[in-house]
Amino acid sequence: MASCAPLFVNDNDRRWSPDAIVFNSWQHYGCPNYWMLHFFKESSGASLHPSTIQVSNYNQLVASAITWQNSKDGNTYLKIKVLNFGNKAIDLSISITGLENEIQTFGSVKTVLTSGSLRDENSFQQPDKVVPVESPISNAREEMSLVLDPYSLTSFDLLLDLKSSLQMMHSVPESSLHSSM
């Protein structure tokens, strides 16, 4: 489960930091930690998959992998979340084993939460300064090379075909992440 307390704060009475949603009498915005919680909303009831990170001389990556079903479209996804809490962009190689032709080439999405500075915050003047940005992953497959921005949380939602959804109930795929600088 993911949660935040306190959830709301009135801009005229800020006693606590951080809060997830800031409001006044006529507007509101989500703080970066509010948007970060969105990356974990599918985790309830999902299947956690073993994942490993193999990195040379860089210890600022953390990753997890789950399989989840989208309640809106009924599709099943393999979600790989990677946090790069270092100040360098990382070339990441993703290798997924235990699946046989199960990742669809199209229909996968990459979502990134990052900003130019660690101190960036949203405000009433800039409510979308730090928000997740989605982009399609073209040509998704079991072996992929991607780039992780510095100071970023990135989610790769890899669309699985119907055949793979049935097989997922019988096998546990393993994700392996390799990076180089």
Side-chain angles (χ1 to χ4, degrees):
M1 274 181 77
S3 64
C4 180
L7 182 60
F8 297 101
V9 64
N10 187 320
D11 189 49
N12 299 315
D13 187 23
R14 291 190 101 160
R15 297 183 207 179
W16 186 267
S17 185
D19 294 289
I21 300 171
V22 179
F23 69 94
N24 61 22
S25 59
W26 59 283
Q27 57 190 347
H28 68 279
Y29 63 87
C31 295
N33 61 319
Y34 168 78
W35 293 113
M36 181 273 310
L37 290 173
H38 279 259
F39 283 76
F40 297 90
K41 65 185 176 184
E42 291 90 8
S43 297
S44 180
S47 299
L48 182 65
H49 297 290
S51 58
T52 57
I53 299 178
Q54 298 174 345
V55 184
S56 299
N57 300 321
Y58 193 76
N59 62 353
Q60 300 184 350
L61 291 180
V62 178
S64 68
I66 62 170
T67 301
W68 67 282
Q69 186 170 21
N70 187 330
S71 60
K72 294 178 185 173
D73 62 17
N75 290 326
T76 301
Y77 294 85
L78 176 65
K79 178 187 282 283
I80 301 172
K81 293 179 286 232
V82 185
L83 174 65
N84 179 6
F85 56 95
N87 61 357
K88 297 177 182 176
I90 299 296
D91 294 320
L92 182 71
S93 296
I94 296 177
S95 175
I96 300 163
T97 59
L99 301 174
E100 294 181 22
N101 302 322
E102 296 172 338
I103 295 175
Q104 291 191 12
T105 306
F106 297 99
S108 296
V109 176
K110 173 183 171 182
T111 307
V112 180
L113 180 66
T114 190
S115 185
S117 169
L118 285 176
R119 301 207 182 271
D120 281 347
E121 287 282 340
N122 294 334
S123 65
F124 291 121
Q125 294 75 31
Q126 292 182 296
D128 297 328
K129 188 171 189 173
V130 185
V131 296
V133 176
E134 281 189 7
S135 60
I137 300 173
S138 58
N139 204 19
R141 55 193 179 277
E142 284 80 12
E143 304 281 335
M144 295 184 291
S145 294
L146 305 157
V147 176
L148 295 176
D149 294 330
Y151 304 119
S152 66
L153 175 58
T154 305
S155 174
F156 304 98
D157 288 303
L158 305 174
L159 179 61
L160 303 177
D161 61 23
L162 181 58
K163 179 179 137 185
S164 68
S165 298
L166 297 174
Q167 289 176 350
M168 291 298 287
M169 295 178 194
H170 298 89
S171 65
V172 177
E174 183 172 326
S175 301
S176 178
L177 309 171
H178 306 273
S179 68
S180 58
M181 299 184 348

